Amino acid sequence: MMNQKCKTARGLWAQVDALRMGMNWSEGDTEKPHILISDVFGESHPGSFHLNILSDEAAVGIYETGGRPAKNHVTDICDGWGQGHDGMNYILASRETIADMVELQASVIPWDGMILISSCDKSVPAHLIAAARLDIPTIHIPGGSMRIGPNIGTSGLAGPLSAKYKKGQPVQKEMRDYKLTGCPSCGACQFMGTASTMQCMSESLGLALPGNALMPSTFAEIRRISRAAGQQVMNLAQQNITARKILTQAAFENAIKVHAAIGGSTNALIHLPAIAHEMGITLQPELFDKASREIPYLTNIQPSGKYVTELFWFAGGIPMIQWEIKEYLNLDVMTVTGKTLGENLNDLAEQGFFDRCHEHLKTYNIPVEEIIRPVKQSKHFGSIAILKGNIAPAGAVIKYSAVIPAMHQHVGPAAVFNSEEDAQKAIITGKIKQGDVVIIRYEGPRGSGAPEMFMTTDAIVFDESLNGTVALVTDGRFSGASRGPCVGHVSPEAIDGGPIGLVENGDLIEIDIPARTLNIIGIAGQKQEAAEIARILADRKKAWKAPARKIRNGVLRKFTEKAASLMAGAYTK
Ligand SMILES: CC(C)(O)[C@@H](O)C(=O)O
């Protein structure tokens, strides 16, 4: 195989060769296929802290199959660092910046293939966006899961602890224990939050090698699969199997079905449409709703269940889920193995992958079915509903697998806030009453960058008097760890004149998950006819004035000026 550079204009490349030889390349190296390895390694958080090791392994795989790797790093940012303060506003925007940086690295000179390595919320979707945008042979290596904490503890314990702390309860010892053991290793947070969900989506789309998503991050096996990815990207280069040949409509639909089966993060409803957008594919939000009506919800993983992602992988991980829901999937889609999904699953079974994983579970004495329910035994369907109505004409999202059945239909008076900070203060200081529907607006992508509202959702869940009676509706978004009746992504958002900006304190809000609706059904606590409500909303709209933009400079100004709605993927137009 000849490298792209040689295929194009060999004579002109003396300068590039010289520059590369300045980095210790040999003359022979300059003639080989060149593979870009871009990882998000950095001392930015545990999800990225070990990725240089995986990148070294991928490089070995490339060398030993006759290629020349070149490593680059564009590190990512941890959502956990941003929660509860303004830092969180920057997080979604970072997805665009990482994708753009990979595009820049990969576009200045041609590459024969690319390995992308990341673990977490924004870096995985950024890499998948870059893969779709660049369309060169590409394999994504998910960085695996953080090891298990004591008593199935996770990094997510921060939420309940800070809720207790804010209420003045003594938490000193618990806080210290949590600091020492909440994150016992590198890897993505141990629950099915956004980081874990997006690793699963990468594998489900066919861009990661089978079994890679959520592998325990300290296992030798994750190093071996990284090395195998290095070898395999050379095969993809040889056969010219590019990312866009893998990222088809059918691949996205498969991923959405896996998402329903694993009860994945609502943030995937932002990221998958953004990746699809690069392909010119519009992923209708209704596809998620349809998948949730069709596909049984199989997993028992935090935040909606009991166990953690390492145990999910021991139960067989994504291949086990795909095996279980085989009859719903398109098994003929191409993947980075150069084979179809159906062929991959058969290969894994023949090679004893499932048996080996399940042996690990014996250490914990937990049956596989306790973590991944067999499809025939599952009583529940899906996890996501798309709601529409006079507050959300272009849709909103709720993860109903994390909502108690008593709250599947709820009517309550609106308590309206124009920022998350104000809402949180009201919750913590006892201003919110049982039955209220907390409305948080101007927190969408164009309002403030769409920060996650983990601390606020947890402040409700960990207040005994509010938990199970109070709902939250916002044009912003949630953490993958959020629980409770939280309706997010309300579109159009308030800053764009969406009707969520017209809600007033005391309006009666109805959330009806079975009917898939979200409406104002009354004014000042009194029910009204729909036509009367429409008239009142039209009057309020006439009086509404867009508030001054909160963000005036830097990367967040660019993002808030250009981002599409959360329902469309918040890509920058
Ligand atoms: C920090 C978290 C919990 O990972 C969050 O960002 C998520 O969405 O899952």
Side-chain angles (χ1 to χ4, degrees):
M1 184 180 17
M2 195 183 239
N3 71 31
Q4 286 292 346
K5 178 186 76 173
C6 298
K7 276 190 240 158
T8 38
R10 195 174 194 134
L12 300 173
W13 289 83
Q15 180 170 318
V16 173
D17 286 349
L19 289 165
R20 282 178 156 161
M21 292 185 72
M23 299 185 295
N24 272 353
W25 286 38
S26 69
E27 238 185 313
D29 284 342
T30 64
E31 304 296 316
K32 292 174 182 167
H34 295 155
I35 309 292
L36 173 66
I37 301 180
S38 187
D39 62 41
V40 291
F41 164 68
E43 208 171 322
S44 40
H45 56 100
S48 296
F49 183 54
H50 62 308
L51 299 182
N52 58 333
I53 298 170
L54 306 189
S55 146
D56 286 348
E57 292 291 348
V60 171
I62 293 162
Y63 276 124
E64 65 195 357
T65 42
R68 179 51 159 105
K71 290 186 271 181
N72 271 303
H73 317 284
V74 179
T75 199
D76 62 342
I77 303 161
C78 182
D79 293 33
W81 283 18
Q83 258 141 9
H85 58 88
D86 282 351
M88 184 42 96
N89 298 42
Y90 287 84
I91 297 287
L92 186 54
S94 74
R95 181 192 72 182
E96 301 304 290
T97 306
I98 296 168
D100 290 350
M101 273 306 295
V102 174
E103 179 192 346
L104 294 174
Q105 283 175 342
S107 301
V108 174
I109 45 170
W111 296 88
D112 297 279
M114 181 165 70
I115 294 272
L116 299 169
I117 311 178
S118 50
S119 314
C120 288
D121 300 39
K122 302 305 156 312
S123 50
V124 175
H127 278 172
L128 302 181
I129 287 171
R133 195 178 290 170
L134 287 156
D135 196 29
I136 53 182
T138 302
I139 299 184
H140 175 244
I141 303 177
S145 56
M146 185 181 279
R147 304 305 306 271
I148 196 165
N151 195 21
I152 322 190
T154 72
S155 58
L157 286 173
L161 280 177
S162 52
K164 277 190 191 175
Y165 174 75
K166 281 181 185 152
K167 279 192 256 156
Q169 294 173 7
V171 285
Q172 249 181 338
K173 179 178 178 314
E174 273 179 272
M175 283 269 194
R176 178 152 194 268
D177 288 348
Y178 165 69
K179 270 193 230 173
L180 292 174
T181 61
C183 299
S185 79
C186 53
C189 292
Q190 308 99 321
F191 44 85
M192 195 55 82
T194 311
S196 300
T197 300
M198 290 315 297
Q199 290 197 25
C200 294
M201 292 298 93
S202 167
E203 188 175 326
S204 306
L205 286 166
L207 276 188
L209 288 177
N212 188 163
L214 302 180
M215 240 176 205
S217 60
T218 57
F219 270 26
E221 205 159 344
I222 197 167
R223 296 187 180 206
R224 277 199 293 273
I225 206 166
S226 303
R227 183 162 161 186
Q231 296 165 351
Q232 179 55 18
V233 78
M234 292 286 290
N235 287 329
L236 295 183
Q238 183 83 50
Q239 297 169 54
N240 196 29
I241 300 179
T242 63
R244 294 175 79 95
K245 292 185 178 146
I246 292 170
L247 291 171
T248 57
Q249 173 82 26
F252 282 105
E253 288 182 17
N254 278 351
I256 290 171
K257 289 173 184 171
V258 170
H259 183 272
I262 63 174
S265 162
T266 48
N267 286 316
L269 279 89
I270 308 169
H271 302 316
L272 287 178
I275 301 158
H277 173 75
E278 294 292 336
M279 302 290 303
I281 296 175
T282 304
L283 275 194
Q284 297 297 348
E286 282 70 22
L287 280 174
F288 288 87
D289 198 289
K290 187 165 168 277
S292 281
R293 290 175 192 264
E294 257 176 45
I295 308 290
Y297 168 47
L298 300 181
T299 54
N300 185 9
I301 315 280
Q302 299 181 29
S304 305
K306 181 169 172 193
Y307 297 105
V308 292
T309 45
E310 172 173 341
L311 297 179
F312 169 73
W313 191 80
F314 292 158
I318 286 303
M320 188 69 188
I321 295 283
Q322 290 168 322
W323 190 272
E324 279 296 331
I325 61 166
K326 249 198 262 202
E327 61 181 294
Y328 301 97
L329 298 177
N330 181 334
L331 297 175
D332 297 328
V333 291
M334 177 49 62
T335 72
V336 287
T337 59
K339 296 185 184 180
T340 66
L341 170 60
E343 289 169 327
N344 290 345
L345 292 177
N346 289 335
D347 285 354
L348 288 175
E350 267 166 36
Q351 291 154 13
F353 169 83
F354 296 111
D355 296 338
R356 274 195 309 281
C357 284
H358 296 167
E359 283 301 306
H360 282 292
L361 269 189
K362 293 192 178 149
T363 316
Y364 298 88
N365 211 8
I366 305 171
V368 177
E369 307 75 54
E370 173 74 8
I371 298 173
I372 300 180
R373 283 180 286 265
V375 106
K376 294 207 169 61
Q377 282 173 29
S378 175
K379 291 189 212 79
H380 308 284
F381 279 81
S383 53
I384 292 288
I386 304 298
L387 310 184
K388 283 194 174 161
N390 61 14
I391 307 180
V397 171
I398 186 162
K399 184 175 179 178
Y400 59 78
S401 57
V403 179
I404 57 167
M407 289 297 281
H408 283 197
Q409 287 169 305
H410 178 74
V411 176
V416 180
F417 302 92
N418 287 342
S419 74
E420 189 198 1
E421 291 79 359
D422 290 350
Q424 213 189 117
K425 210 189 291 159
I427 294 164
I428 291 162
T429 55
K431 307 246 160 47
I432 299 301
K433 306 278 168 301
Q434 291 191 350
D436 280 355
V437 177
V438 176
I439 306 275
I440 306 179
R441 60 200 186 185
Y442 299 104
E443 295 287 17
R446 293 162 68 78
S448 66
E452 278 186 352
M453 301 187 180
F454 183 44
M455 295 296 177
T456 303
T457 53
D458 261 16
I460 295 174
V461 168
F462 290 98
D463 183 319
E464 289 92 47
S465 69
L466 303 183
N467 185 27
T469 74
V470 165
L472 199 162
V473 174
T474 179
D475 56 6
R477 64 190 183 97
F478 302 115
S479 161
S482 290
R483 278 164 294 169
C486 311
V487 182
H489 307 190
V490 168
S491 298
E493 61 180 288
I495 195 88
D496 282 342
I500 189 171
L502 308 176
V503 181
E504 290 184 4
N505 283 325
D507 287 353
L508 277 186
I509 309 294
E510 181 184 61
I511 300 167
D512 189 337
I513 300 174
R516 304 295 198 258
T517 54
L518 172 67
N519 281 305
I520 303 179
I521 59 159
I523 306 292
Q526 298 300 314
K527 272 199 173 184
Q528 304 271 1
E529 293 297 321
E532 178 60 6
I533 304 250
R535 193 194 57 73
I536 293 170
L537 287 181
D539 281 353
R540 287 182 187 172
K541 183 74 198 262
K542 276 186 220 141
W544 179 82
K545 278 201 195 74
R549 297 193 80 82
K550 290 189 209 168
I551 296 138
R552 293 175 190 281
N553 58 22
V555 70
L556 210 47
R557 178 185 59 78
K558 290 184 216 156
F559 182 74
T560 52
E561 279 175 8
K562 292 190 183 312
S565 73
L566 288 178
M567 292 305 284
Y571 53 82
T572 39
K573 294 184 260 188

